[in-house]
Amino acid sequence: ERDEDETTLMKELPQHACSYCNIHDPASVVLCNTCKKWFCNGRGSTSGSHIINHLVRSKHKEVTLHMDGPLGETILECYNCGCRNVFLLGFIPAKADSVVVLLCRQPCAAQTSLKDMNWDQSQWQPLINDRSFLPWLVKIPTEQEQLRVRQITAAQINKLEEMWKEDPGKTVEDLDKPGIDEDPQAVMLRYEDAYQYQNVFAPLVKMEADYDRKLKESQSQDNIVIRWDRGLNKRWIAYFSLPKQDGEMRIMQGDELRLRYCGDLRKPWTDEGHVIKIPNSFGEEVGLELKGMTDVPTECTRNFSVDFVWKPTSFDRMLTSLKTFAVDETSVSGFLYHRLLGHEIESEQSIKSTNPKRYTVPGLPELNHSQVYAVRQVLPKPLSLIQGPPGTGKTVTSATIVYHLCRGDRERGGRVLMCAPSNTAVDQLTEKVHRTGLKVVRLCAKSREAIDSPVAFLSLHRQVKALEGYGELEKLQTLKEDQGELSSADEKRYRTLRKQAERELLQNADVICCTCVGAGDPRLAKLRFRTILIDESTQATEPECMVPIVLGAKQVILVGDHCQLGPVVMCKKAARAGLAQSLFERLIILGIRPIRLQVQYRMHPSLSQFPSDIFYDGTLQNGVTNAERGPSNIDFPWPIPDKPMFFWVTTGQEEISSSGTSYLNRTEAANVEKIVTRLMKCGVKPDQIGVITPYEGQRAYVVQYMQYHGSMHANLYQELEVASVDAFQGREKDFIILSCVRANEHQGIGFLNDPRRLNVALTRAKHGVIIIGNPKVLAKQALWHRLLGHFKDADLLVEGPLNNLKSCLMSFSKPKKPLIN
Amino acid sequence: KEEEVKVNKKLEVVKCEEDDEFIAELERTMTSELTGRKMDSTVNKVNSSDLALPMNRGFKGHKIDGNSVQFSVMMKKGSKQQFKKMDIPVESEFASNLFDKQKAVVRE
Ligand SMILES: [Zn+2]
Ligand SMILES: [Zn+2]
Ligand SMILES: [Zn+2]
């Protein structure tokens, strides 16, 4: 069904919020009768309260109290003559009675006749006292309240008052709007307040959104040929292949595309659908499942066009969360608010937490000392960072932390929200937490409900089906599946019942898992989450991380590894301005020390040596000793038997790929095939092998080359994954083959010039790594110079045929740029 | 209520030219409004008959709770006189003055 539009349930600033600083306690604000703007009785950083600042600068003189204040809605005026000029008004008390009256100073309070009506004129108390209204008449907000809202300076107040003279509609936000063409303001380390934080990040999010939209809309493809098919759920699936697939645009599962028929065999037609299959070794075709069921032009196969459907949802949710962080003071705890903005805080509060007797949790593997230390450190802390290098079991650690938080928080009904930027990572988290026996709900986007996953049975829409007490809903559900659509009455009934069931499930869940942007789902808006854990947080932009955090966080745990891939930011300008720096990294710079998991279980010890030294100060320890290693004892011609890795010198020339925007290297592709075939001959299954290459051109060429020139059966090579580093992030294979393709240092991409990508490429393999490339050229880059040195010193830089590898005596010149680590 | 977060950031007045200007302007406004009012011939002598405090208010002493005294503010609703409750801090002049006056009455 179509997405319901997301009514912003976001808490809006009340109408009576102070026009300077947004304080909105009714007892602390006063209405200026002339310009109908509200101002508070707090000073902020000026010498007078905001209302007085305004009255003096604007020459306005009359005010009204807020109806919810102590005196209710009251225009301040002289009791006797009705004069409303606040600069002339004041209180005088009765002689011996606890009564006061507001009078104008001249003439009413000065009349001699007052004395015999037993008013005490000598006790005249002006309304404006110490440059503010009397504190008992209009409450002065506490220091804490004032530090939590917009900090505005006297100079900014002046500027704003000037702006109001021409255009009363202006708001305090207009003070910060940069000129349109100016470069965006760069991300900062510390922020004065959450408004400044919003003013820095919102433009960057908008830039990325515009770039993404333009990029998607430019990818429209015409004269596409369709192969029609019908899914199990009776929905129509259109299979087609997209010629131009290079560059940044990669179709992902769940992406939304629009199909248009532009031929003349029938009237024009269009519908949207989401991608259920993407180009892989099984075939270059894209599978698109359409939403509509009727009038689908399945009789036509030619003259179709495909457009990318751009959805602003994720960007809107990030922008909303930035606004919530500023406007809603219940969005995060006071402590987190100041800590996230980089303010120094005297004493760190600790979260009341039980320290469990045993840290290892049922259903999950035994924790090592480093994991136990991390869990113990994190439980009482309101804000902590965990660095999980490759293969150190950070998902198990996260699930353990969440288990103890839920169990330890029984009485306060601690419901935990677990997020990650990618769906695959969220699925892994969900699976691990489910194993501990906690009640878990996986919330996924409506457009992804049809996509199968190992934890589909835990998704909200599946659990709704299995919920007892909702027989009618189940009936309507099956009816809808059979007929594809319901009558409008049934549909309405179906939706209300489903909403009810969803709310019930979400209420009783111990843990809710979703992507960072998924946390902005309206179904979560009314829930409050005390604790938020974000895994792979180093792959999310700051605004992305804020989406879950502003749901009421009192405790935030960020898990990630800033030595691996950072967030994907397509717009270079936004990336340069700092959008590509994760919140995890900024907090490290602010002085929060990440707790590092040190025992890795993935890589054979000789494979972890280089990454540990270069990226993790040599601290990585190997959990599984050599002896317990798996199939490295296969009959493969490793130059050194107990060291399953080598650099195979290959000096073939790279070429521009057919698409003209990418590269391929035939000699390297041939060597890849030789290694793959030799591995498979030793009994290694195709899905245990991964080939990583930075270029789409090489990816397509290697897949094709292996199938045609591979000496074993073609479909064996089909199951083998050939992809970029990014596609392998967060995953592992038994054997990894890196094909560098080319390495001219000024424009290389992928793991050729990005240390973090190289770290990821080198840390995907469990049992063996083979790098294929031309050392002469690669060594120009400092990091590669060091890597090649590592292989050379270990006598693992080899050349020649696979069954007769000789050490290569090539020497490399000094790298140009020094190694910046 | 959420615990107090002691932030090293203090709310202090940031001295600057615009703020000094504001202070001076406020002084000017107070004095000029008063002198203007005094010289305003249209402000006629106003009868202050209804300013009389009704005696039957039944003054039963002032209520103190916590650190404030409960006063009443004499106000007009249309032409009708009404009293609204108002808590005034014990340490304010009004309150301390009220206590002294009452002690004096008792002494007499
Ligand atoms: Zn005004
Ligand atoms: Zn204010
Ligand atoms: Zn008067």
Side-chain angles (χ1 to χ4, degrees):
Chain A
E1 72 263 12
R2 301 290 174 226
D3 300 344
E4 293 130 33
D5 63 84
E6 295 194 7
T7 50
T8 45
L9 305 145
M10 211 263 318
K11 191 171 162 195
E12 282 298 339
L13 261 182
Q15 228 256 338
H16 61 268
C18 170
S19 301
Y20 286 162
C21 74
N22 290 335
I23 283 236
H24 45 81
D25 171 1
S28 313
V29 289
V30 168
L31 176 75
C32 169
N33 297 356
T34 317
C35 61
K36 295 290 183 260
K37 288 189 168 69
W38 292 87
F39 297 92
C40 77
N41 204 28
R43 296 164 183 272
S45 58
T46 71
S47 299
S49 76
H50 284 168
I51 176 64
I52 305 298
N53 263 286
H54 168 69
L55 296 176
V56 166
R57 287 196 172 80
S58 62
K59 301 274 179 279
H60 298 166
K61 295 189 177 59
E62 301 177 7
V63 298
T64 306
L65 299 181
H66 192 279
M67 61 179 173
D68 301 338
L71 288 184
E73 185 164 358
T74 314
I75 301 174
L76 294 185
E77 61 191 7
C78 169
Y79 179 84
N80 196 35
C81 75
C83 159
R84 294 181 175 173
N85 181 336
V86 293
F87 295 102
L88 294 173
L89 296 178
F91 285 95
I92 58 168
K95 280 209 182 71
D97 187 352
S98 58
V99 179
V100 291
V101 70
L102 189 63
L103 292 176
C104 65
R105 187 167 193 165
Q106 212 40 252
C108 299
Q111 299 165 72
T112 51
S113 59
L114 283 181
K115 215 191 279 56
D116 40 37
M117 283 184 270
N118 66 56
W119 291 104
D120 184 349
Q121 283 163 302
S122 73
Q123 292 297 325
W124 164 263
Q125 170 68 72
L127 187 57
I128 297 176
N129 171 285
D130 188 16
R131 301 192 203 95
S132 313
F133 278 129
L134 290 167
W136 46 265
L137 187 67
V138 185
K139 194 159 103 28
I140 296 183
T142 64
E143 181 176 44
Q144 188 185 351
E145 279 167 336
Q146 294 195 53
L147 281 171
R148 177 63 179 78
V149 287
R150 167 182 281 278
Q151 308 300 301
I152 187 167
T153 62
Q156 286 170 322
I157 289 178
N158 268 9
K159 221 165 122 217
L160 191 52
E161 290 287 342
E162 287 312 314
M163 284 159 77
W164 278 337
K165 288 199 173 95
E166 295 117 27
D167 171 2
K170 286 274 188 219
T171 70
V172 72
E173 270 76 26
D174 299 315
L175 274 178
D176 315 308
K177 287 232 171 37
I180 317 108
D181 46 24
E182 273 169 36
D183 267 347
Q185 196 199 338
V187 161
M188 305 161 74
L189 181 58
R190 299 170 198 277
Y191 295 85
E192 195 59 37
D193 54 41
Y195 292 89
Q196 186 182 33
Y197 184 85
Q198 180 187 7
N199 290 329
V200 167
F201 276 106
L204 299 182
V205 170
K206 289 195 186 95
M207 279 171 75
E208 177 70 0
D210 285 348
Y211 186 94
D212 187 37
R213 181 173 45 77
K214 286 200 189 75
L215 189 66
K216 283 226 158 96
E217 280 158 5
S218 70
Q219 296 286 323
S220 294
Q221 308 266 347
D222 298 327
N223 37 60
I224 296 288
V225 175
I226 301 286
R227 175 173 65 80
W228 289 105
D229 191 0
R230 196 137 199 192
L232 296 171
N233 54 14
K234 294 212 173 39
R235 288 193 183 273
W236 285 105
I237 300 172
Y239 286 101
F240 51 88
S241 46
L242 286 173
K244 197 160 74 59
Q245 250 292 274
D246 299 347
E248 290 138 342
M249 262 323 294
R250 291 271 159 59
I251 301 182
M252 313 256 279
Q253 259 200 325
D255 277 358
E256 304 214 14
L257 301 178
R258 179 176 308 110
L259 201 58
R260 277 182 290 119
Y261 177 68
C262 324
D264 39 28
L265 295 182
R266 50 157 293 164
K267 57 179 172 42
W269 163 90
T270 179
D271 191 9
E272 284 181 13
H274 58 265
V275 171
I276 54 166
K277 181 204 166 284
I278 52 174
N280 57 26
S281 31
F282 287 94
E284 292 297 313
E285 275 186 332
V286 172
L288 181 71
E289 183 185 276
L290 295 179
K291 282 186 180 150
M293 305 283 281
T294 53
D295 184 29
V296 178
T298 49
E299 72 284 4
C300 311
T301 56
R302 296 192 166 284
N303 293 322
F304 283 88
S305 295
V306 174
D307 310 321
F308 282 79
V309 173
W310 183 75
K311 289 269 182 201
T313 319
S314 51
F315 299 105
D316 288 345
R317 288 181 180 175
M318 288 188 231
L319 292 172
T320 304
S321 64
L322 291 173
K323 188 161 191 237
T324 304
F325 181 46
V327 159
D328 174 2
E329 55 294 353
T330 65
S331 56
V332 294
S333 68
F335 175 83
L336 282 175
Y337 172 84
H338 289 294
R339 210 66 195 88
L340 289 172
L341 292 176
H343 300 164
E344 297 299 330
I345 291 185
E346 273 156 32
S347 61
E348 178 172 293
Q349 302 148 319
S350 71
I351 301 267
K352 197 173 68 56
S353 73
T354 60
N355 27 48
K357 287 182 298 314
R358 241 174 87 65
Y359 281 95
T360 294
V361 161
L364 292 180
E366 184 75 24
L367 296 183
N368 61 50
H369 62 85
S370 169
Q371 287 169 327
V372 168
Y373 176 76
V375 174
R376 200 165 30 154
Q377 286 296 316
V378 153
L379 288 180
K381 279 215 178 78
L383 177 60
S384 39
L385 307 179
I386 297 180
Q387 182 187 15
T392 51
K394 63 179 173 44
T395 310
V396 165
T397 310
S398 301
T400 307
I401 289 167
V402 164
Y403 176 84
H404 288 303
L405 286 174
C406 284
R407 282 288 172 275
D409 198 0
R410 232 337 136 235
E411 67 307 330
R412 272 171 306 158
R415 187 186 307 116
V416 177
L417 181 61
M418 269 181 116
C419 296
S422 70
N423 279 293
T424 30
V426 174
D427 287 345
Q428 282 168 1
L429 281 173
T430 311
E431 192 269 329
K432 286 280 186 308
V433 175
H434 172 65
R435 279 216 227 131
T436 67
L438 287 177
K439 283 206 293 301
V440 188
V441 173
R442 164 68 156 109
L443 183 72
C444 50
K446 290 232 165 51
S447 62
R448 293 186 62 86
E449 279 180 2
I451 296 171
D452 198 12
S453 86
V455 282
F457 68 102
L458 290 172
S459 58
L460 183 63
H461 60 281
R462 279 280 181 66
Q463 294 200 40
V464 157
K465 282 205 188 112
L467 199 56
E468 313 95 31
Y470 283 83
E472 189 190 353
L473 176 61
E474 212 183 323
K475 207 158 45 49
L476 286 170
Q477 179 87 32
T478 31
L479 190 63
K480 183 173 170 113
E481 264 149 25
D482 297 344
Q483 294 169 350
E485 254 138 3
L486 294 172
S487 69
S488 63
D490 281 353
E491 181 66 24
K492 202 161 167 307
R493 181 75 184 130
Y494 167 70
R495 287 203 174 181
T496 28
L497 277 177
R498 194 186 56 186
K499 262 209 172 58
Q500 230 180 342
E502 283 174 350
R503 203 172 310 119
E504 190 183 317
L505 266 162
L506 290 171
Q507 290 284 4
N508 313 331
D510 293 324
V511 186
I512 295 177
C513 300
C514 58
T515 59
C516 292
V517 165
D521 188 308
R523 291 172 287 190
L524 294 186
K526 293 200 186 55
L527 296 176
R528 293 271 96 186
F529 293 93
R530 286 178 40 73
T531 307
I532 318 263
L533 184 140
I534 304 178
D535 195 356
E536 312 232 326
S537 59
T538 39
Q539 290 175 62
T541 61
E542 275 212 38
E544 206 174 341
C545 275
M546 291 308 282
V547 177
I549 287 177
V550 296
L551 294 177
K554 299 267 186 300
Q555 178 175 26
V556 168
I557 302 145
L558 298 183
V559 181
D561 182 4
H562 52 295
C563 299
Q564 293 187 54
L565 287 183
V568 174
V569 175
M570 313 257 254
C571 168
K572 296 285 169 288
K573 216 173 164 189
R576 267 199 312 276
L579 190 59
Q581 175 187 269
S582 63
L583 173 60
F584 188 100
E585 285 163 284
R586 184 167 66 89
L587 291 174
I588 288 181
I589 304 168
L590 276 174
I592 298 184
R593 266 169 39 78
I595 304 150
R596 181 182 291 157
L597 301 179
Q598 298 181 332
V599 182
Q600 68 87 17
Y601 294 89
R602 170 182 300 162
M603 296 174 272
H604 183 283
S606 52
L607 303 186
S608 65
Q609 191 60 45
F610 181 82
S612 174
D613 295 343
I614 297 291
F615 302 109
Y616 303 105
D617 324 311
T619 60
L620 278 193
Q621 298 154 26
N622 297 306
V624 182
T625 57
N626 264 0
E628 299 134 24
R629 277 281 132 201
S632 61
N633 44 30
I634 53 169
D635 161 30
F636 187 84
W638 302 109
I640 301 171
D642 69 344
K643 283 212 164 92
M645 64 188 222
F646 62 92
F647 190 105
W648 193 0
V649 174
T650 313
T651 49
Q653 193 48 29
E654 79 269 9
E655 307 158 33
I656 307 260
S657 69
S658 53
S659 71
T661 58
S662 191
Y663 292 88
L664 60 90
N665 186 317
R666 293 176 195 278
T667 9
E668 283 189 17
N671 283 356
V672 167
E673 183 277 326
K674 289 194 184 72
I675 293 172
V676 166
T677 304
R678 192 62 173 64
L679 281 171
M680 291 203 287
K681 283 210 167 81
C682 309
V684 175
K685 287 199 259 22
D687 61 9
Q688 292 176 275
I689 305 169
V691 177
I692 297 181
T693 177
Y695 293 98
E696 174 57 24
Q698 182 74 346
R699 185 199 70 78
Y701 181 74
V702 163
V703 167
Q704 187 206 1
Y705 179 90
M706 284 195 299
Q707 286 186 0
Y708 293 122
H709 300 284
S711 56
M712 297 175 78
H713 197 283
N715 52 30
L716 267 179
Y717 297 102
Q718 267 186 342
E719 280 153 44
L720 191 130
E721 200 169 345
V722 182
S724 69
V725 189
D726 304 56
F728 273 102
Q729 166 76 37
R731 299 191 301 128
E732 61 186 25
K733 289 278 181 183
D734 285 352
F735 296 93
I736 287 284
I737 304 160
L738 305 189
S739 167
C740 302
V741 182
R742 67 196 292 277
N744 69 22
E745 61 291 357
H746 24 74
Q747 186 249 33
I749 62 161
F751 51 79
L752 299 176
N753 64 2
D754 174 355
R756 297 188 302 183
R757 270 206 171 73
L758 178 58
N759 180 22
V760 172
L762 293 175
T763 54
R764 293 312 93 192
K766 296 165 76 173
H767 303 301
V769 168
I770 301 124
I771 305 180
I772 301 174
N774 178 345
K776 211 129 204 70
V777 178
L778 287 170
K780 292 205 178 89
Q781 209 263 2
L783 196 55
W784 276 91
H785 188 274
R786 205 141 162 213
L787 178 64
L788 287 161
H790 176 74
F791 276 94
K792 197 162 196 307
D793 299 346
D795 205 4
L796 289 167
L797 185 72
V798 293
E799 59 186 348
L802 197 49
N803 44 30
N804 186 10
L805 292 171
K806 293 267 177 303
S807 45
C808 167
L809 307 174
M810 190 190 278
S811 61
F812 341 111
S813 53
K814 269 252 138 299
K816 289 210 178 51
K817 288 199 284 324
L819 177 66
I820 27 110
N821 197 343
Chain B
K1 185 103 181 41
E2 203 183 286
E3 301 132 45
E4 192 70 26
V5 181
K6 279 195 303 323
V7 189
N8 289 8
K9 255 163 79 73
K10 283 279 165 290
L11 248 189
E12 326 93 11
V13 177
V14 171
K15 273 291 139 227
C16 62
E17 187 207 329
E18 291 82 2
D19 194 56
D20 299 339
E21 241 173 67
F22 157 68
I23 296 169
E25 186 56 23
L26 175 57
E27 297 308 328
R28 268 199 304 281
T29 312
M30 295 295 276
T31 41
S32 68
E33 290 299 326
L34 188 56
T35 40
R37 179 77 170 175
K38 279 181 187 157
M39 291 187 292
D40 183 347
S41 56
T42 62
V43 173
N44 45 39
K45 272 281 163 267
V46 184
N47 70 57
S48 50
S49 56
D50 59 7
L51 252 173
L53 250 174
M55 290 322 283
N56 55 20
R57 240 173 62 72
F59 170 61
K60 27 194 174 356
H62 43 270
K63 214 150 110 326
I64 299 182
D65 58 30
N67 51 20
S68 57
V69 183
Q70 196 176 78
F71 273 74
S72 320
V73 181
M74 190 164 90
M75 299 165 72
K76 259 196 215 149
K77 195 98 180 98
S79 59
K80 215 167 72 37
Q81 193 182 62
Q82 67 166 187
F83 292 86
K84 280 204 177 162
K85 288 195 190 47
M86 187 79 223
D87 288 338
I88 300 184
V90 168
E91 64 280 1
S92 70
E93 274 146 51
F94 276 167
S96 50
N97 164 277
L98 182 67
F99 299 149
D100 306 341
K101 282 279 169 36
Q102 275 169 350
K103 280 198 213 77
V105 162
V106 166
R107 267 203 305 284
E108 267 147 35

